[in-house]
Amino acid sequence: MDAFDIVDWRRRVFALYADVRATNDAAGAHELWCRTRDDLFGNHAASPLMPADRSGFGGLPVAPYDPDWRFEVKVAEAAPARVDLATGTDGVVPFERLGVADVPGIGSLDVWRFASYGGGLFVPVKDASAGKHGGTYGGGRYLLDTVKGADLGFRDGALVLDFNFAYNPSCAYDPAWACPLAQPGNTVAADIPVGERSPADHDR
């Protein structure tokens, strides 16, 4: 993997989410998302899968689409907050809280802004099943990471949060990565059964 491989990966992810936002068929968009990500993980030079895990790779562990887990929520004001999170490749990355998204039946999620070059929104989530057998990745998952292309968009001033598109950070697949993980304001008591599941419980 080199810098050009990473650029190509990012281009493909941006194009994928553009296709997701452009369709009104959420289930069809989710199928495309799953299929494209399986291809990237299995075949792209910049895949976060470790070499030993690429052999016999049969696809990412993603639950079937459930429309009940798609929300469009306004971002409410919240007290200013800042966190500095260490990452494997970008050093310490500062985040500033833009506000809070109150998701019905799930709880509130802090909405963060990258407080460095490029800006962007970041919304991770850690649910009640995190780290449990058959559950989600212990460090939480990402709903939005717009700097890297994971952007479900806005509709009528509301942020689209579709938990079917929650995905694991790269460190879930390769411990060499150090990823920003969900903070207390992005940890909820609800069990979220959709989106990408923990790779530890999946036969790769």
Side-chain angles (χ1 to χ4, degrees), residues 12-190:
R12 294 185 187 216
V13 171
F14 270 88
L16 170 59
Y17 276 87
D19 289 339
V20 166
R21 293 191 302 272
T23 179
N24 292 321
D25 177 10
H30 185 256
E31 182 182 355
L32 171 66
W33 182 77
C34 292
R35 186 171 65 250
T36 303
R37 294 181 72 245
D38 282 347
D39 179 61
L40 285 171
F41 271 71
N43 300 302
H44 199 282
S47 170
L49 289 180
M50 298 179 70
D53 292 329
R54 295 195 193 188
S55 176
F57 173 70
L60 296 167
V62 180
Y65 189 84
D66 184 343
D68 290 341
W69 291 91
R70 184 184 186 280
F71 302 89
E72 297 178 10
V73 295
K74 302 282 187 178
V75 178
E77 292 185 2
R82 179 185 171 105
V83 294
D84 296 316
L85 300 179
T87 69
T89 55
D90 301 321
V92 176
V93 178
F95 294 87
E96 294 176 348
R97 185 167 60 185
L98 285 181
V100 174
D102 189 12
V103 186
I106 296 177
S108 65
L109 293 173
D110 287 342
V111 178
W112 298 92
R113 179 184 77 87
F114 286 99
S116 57
Y117 179 78
L121 297 181
F122 179 58
V123 182
V125 61
K126 182 178 179 179
D127 75 321
S129 73
K132 298 179 181 178
H133 179 72
T136 56
Y137 177 59
R141 299 175 292 172
Y142 295 173
L143 279 172
L144 301 179
D145 185 355
T146 65
V147 167
K148 295 182 178 177
D151 178 6
L152 296 174
F154 293 87
R155 289 180 183 267
D156 300 322
L159 192 63
V160 177
L161 297 178
D162 190 332
F163 291 84
N164 293 279
F165 291 87
Y167 67 95
N168 295 329
S170 297
C171 52
Y173 294 99
D174 185 345
W177 291 90
C179 306
L181 301 178
Q183 300 298 296
N186 293 85
T187 301
V188 298

